[in-house]
Amino acid sequence: MNKWIDNAQLASAPQVEGAELQRAMQQAVRQVAQNLPAFESSFPAANSEHGFYTPGINTDWTTGFWTGEVWLAYENAQTPEQKAMFLSAGEKQVDSFLERMNIHHYVDHHDMGFLYSPSCVAAYKLTGSPHGKEAALKAADQLLTRYRPEGEYLQAWGPMNARDNSRLIIDCLLNIPLLYWASETTGDASYRTIAEKHIHTAMKYIVRADDSTWHTIFFDPDTGAFDHGATCQGYQDASAWARGQTWGIYGTAIAYKNTRRAEYIDYFHRVSRYFLSHLPDDLCPYWDLMFGNGDEADQPRDSSSAAIAACGFLEMSKYLPAEDAAYYTGMAKRLVKALIDHYQVKDFAISNGQLLHGTYAKKTPYNTCKNSGVDECVIWGDYYFMEALTRLQNPEWDMYW
Ligand code: GLY
């Protein structure tokens, strides 16, 4: 029977070191290479089925993560031939993302950042891709259309201004960097202005008194006043959905990077502390952080949350005093070591993903999602795992977000 890990156990957990990190990255790049050409013009589904992703078209909110993996593989390629192969695949996929904006295909939601930062902003930053720039700017414009001025937030899902969809979700903190990039790229401050309003509203309500987080916040559709917090993908409203907590960790780190508002450092420490004190022995969280204290029988993990948290810790370490930075960098190295040892796919015959044991959504009597990708690879887990490896190998890495 597990118990949440305590500080002493956490401090003594091993950290990933140089050669091991390099081997893990080489293996991750090999997985991407082996998935091409099957996934050159098509996109993996959001989650694997029995360990294997199947190909589909560019429709879901998750396709940018695969292209992000291709760009990370491009950056970490072992040979010039490999590099050329990743470049060619990445460029093809960028064209698919531009087409998606041009025909307005499944873009009426807030996930423009998840879609367009790791795919098209990455392409623009790495290669100067004009199509990447055009697509990402169109996506940023589309994201602005989700703004609800009465509550100063970006509406997550559903038809705009639908009364029953007057809500933001914590995940959106990772859509916001696209707006900062658009302001930097165009010189037009209006993207940044909306970004800041959304961040401010989200931060005001999303962290609870015990430092856990709401998945989603509902507002009064007429006045925009806070109405209530709830969950969609957590076990129940008041529990802490693991991935939501880690969108909070990485999201507050990026919010601080872009705004330099000191109070966001405090939010970062709080949400990070809650996450780290609700981990089981092997440092990979259960899908909801309420599990892991001895009552987790048959509950699945969400390995993607550990990968996202590692990226958030490494990003925030750039802005913290040395002692705090060393602490969070050490925690990221422990999380990544645990993922490499117990969750990384080491054999393409077992899975075509990167990280086993993710959980997309698990239905309970108290939440509003349906079961999908339970105890499977999830494509963002694969992406953030590779991002964490990249960050650890190259602390100067210019992030796609
Ligand atoms: N953004 C949706 C999820 O994390 O499942």
Side-chain angles (χ1 to χ4, degrees), residues 61 110-111 114 157 169 171 215 233 241 243 247 360 380:
W61 69 275
H110 72 154
D111 283 324
F114 280 127
W157 301 321
I169 68 171
D171 324 28
H215 179 194
Q233 283 160 268
W241 177 44
R243 195 159 58 258
W247 292 138
Y360 185 172
W380 56 88

Side-chain angles (χ1 to χ4, degrees), residues 275-276 279 283 306 309-310 313 331-339:
F275 175 76
L276 289 169
L279 293 176
L283 307 193
F313 291 162
M331 288 303 156
K333 288 182 174 173
R334 291 176 174 92
L335 293 175
V336 170
K337 164 90 176 144
L339 290 175

Side-chain angles (χ1 to χ4, degrees), residues 161-226:
N161 300 314
R163 295 179 72 78
D164 61 349
N165 255 310
S166 305
R167 70 159 104 175
L168 63 78
I169 68 171
I170 192 167
D171 324 28
C172 191
L173 291 171
L174 273 289
N175 287 318
I176 295 297
L178 179 67
L179 299 178
Y180 280 93
W181 171 83
S183 272
E184 276 162 31
T185 305
T186 61
D188 177 350
S190 58
Y191 301 99
R192 179 185 295 119
T193 303
I194 299 294
E196 258 148 48
K197 285 181 189 293
H198 176 92
I199 295 172
H200 189 62
T201 305
M203 292 296 186
K204 199 157 141 196
Y205 300 118
I206 215 107
V207 183
R208 298 186 283 220
D210 69 352
D211 303 336
S212 65
T213 49
W214 292 112
H215 179 194
T216 165
I217 302 289
F218 282 90
F219 299 90
D220 181 295
D222 299 314
T223 65
F226 170 84

Side-chain angles (χ1 to χ4, degrees), residues 3 23 48 51 58 69 77 80 84 87 93 106 115 119 138 146 168 175 189 213 240 275 285 290 304 350 365:
K3 275 230 162 270
R23 275 196 304 276
S48 63
N58 193 348
E69 281 186 69
L87 176 63
Q93 289 169 30
Y106 288 91
L115 282 166
S119 58
K138 285 179 170 167
R146 304 297 297 177
L168 63 78
N175 287 318
T213 49
F275 175 76
M290 68 181 276
S304 74
I350 292 184

